[in-house]
Amino acid sequence: MKRALFPGSFDPLTLGHYDIIKRGVTLFDEIIVAIGVNSDKKYMFTLGERKRFIEEAFADEPKIKVVTYKGLTVDFCKEIGVDFILRGLRNPADFEFEKAIAHTNRDLAPIETVFLLTSAQTSYIASSIVRDVIRNGGDYTKLVPSSVKVN
Ligand code: ADP
């Protein structure tokens, strides 16, 4: 069974992430959306909220699991026996950043990183922009799945 880990902060899940996950499902038997827990980072949404947004968005999709993890992504992959990491690419900056991470990961473990190019309609969406829109009272609903709700 081919399984891929899709790691990230998902603060919050966006339509960009959603697109990559949906398309990843056509390539892999299982996609494990893994929310990385970094105690030094400040998040807008709690871990519970971020997890719930993803679980609700994919409630009808049995091939998608949501988990949380701490530490190195490759160590977590080894721990749960996953051979692939899935990442999305939006632009050249993403490419340079992801290239360095993928090379480092390959030095650390025999895990392949698979990249999917973002869809044209969601290429401009980033969680940081969504957070900015939310902070400033804008209509964030066009940028995220309907499971993402702000209290
Ligand atoms: P991180 O904290 O690692 O930046 P993110 O939650 O921002 O985590 O992103 C997780 C993954 O989703 C990354 O591979 C990132 O490139 C990808 N991603 C984020 N936004 C988009 C988008 N709009 N289209 C495609 N991929 C995206």
Side-chain angles (χ1 to χ4, degrees):
M1 182 154 118
K2 278 203 174 3
R3 299 156 79 217
L5 194 83
F6 185 54
S9 310
F10 306 105
D11 187 32
L13 177 73
T14 69
L15 289 178
H17 298 132
Y18 185 89
D19 167 68
I20 298 290
I21 297 167
K22 272 283 188 193
R23 286 161 53 212
V25 155
T26 66
L27 300 173
F28 294 97
D29 301 307
E30 186 172 89
I31 300 285
I32 300 156
V33 183
I35 310 175
V37 179
N38 179 348
S39 46
D40 293 339
K41 231 168 146 178
K42 262 202 90 30
Y43 299 101
M44 173 173 267
F45 294 95
T46 66
L47 187 58
E49 286 172 323
R50 285 180 279 147
K51 190 160 185 271
R52 199 173 59 244
F53 294 155
I54 307 169
E55 282 168 350
E56 282 181 23
F58 297 106
D60 299 334
E61 187 47 85
K63 287 169 74 180
I64 297 169
K65 304 263 179 310
V66 189
V67 300
T68 64
Y69 75 104
K70 278 197 184 110
L72 286 177
T73 305
V74 283
D75 286 345
F76 184 61
C77 287
K78 281 192 268 183
E79 191 184 314
I80 62 170
V82 167
D83 296 322
F84 300 94
I85 292 175
L86 176 65
R87 297 290 282 178
L89 291 178
R90 285 166 287 194
N91 50 46
D94 268 0
F95 174 75
E96 290 300 333
F97 180 71
E98 294 292 341
K99 188 173 83 162
I101 295 177
H103 281 150
T104 307
N105 285 342
R106 285 277 291 164
D107 284 343
L108 297 174
I111 289 170
E112 285 292 352
T113 304
V114 175
F115 298 100
L116 281 181
L117 193 62
T118 178
S119 298
Q121 307 91 295
T122 54
S123 65
Y124 65 95
I125 301 177
S127 291
S128 58
I129 294 177
V130 173
R131 291 196 298 275
D132 228 40
V133 171
I134 292 171
R135 266 190 217 107
N136 292 288
D139 181 10
Y140 63 93
T141 59
K142 294 181 173 65
L143 306 169
V144 297
S146 58
S147 61
V148 175
K149 291 191 181 75
V150 178
N151 296 317

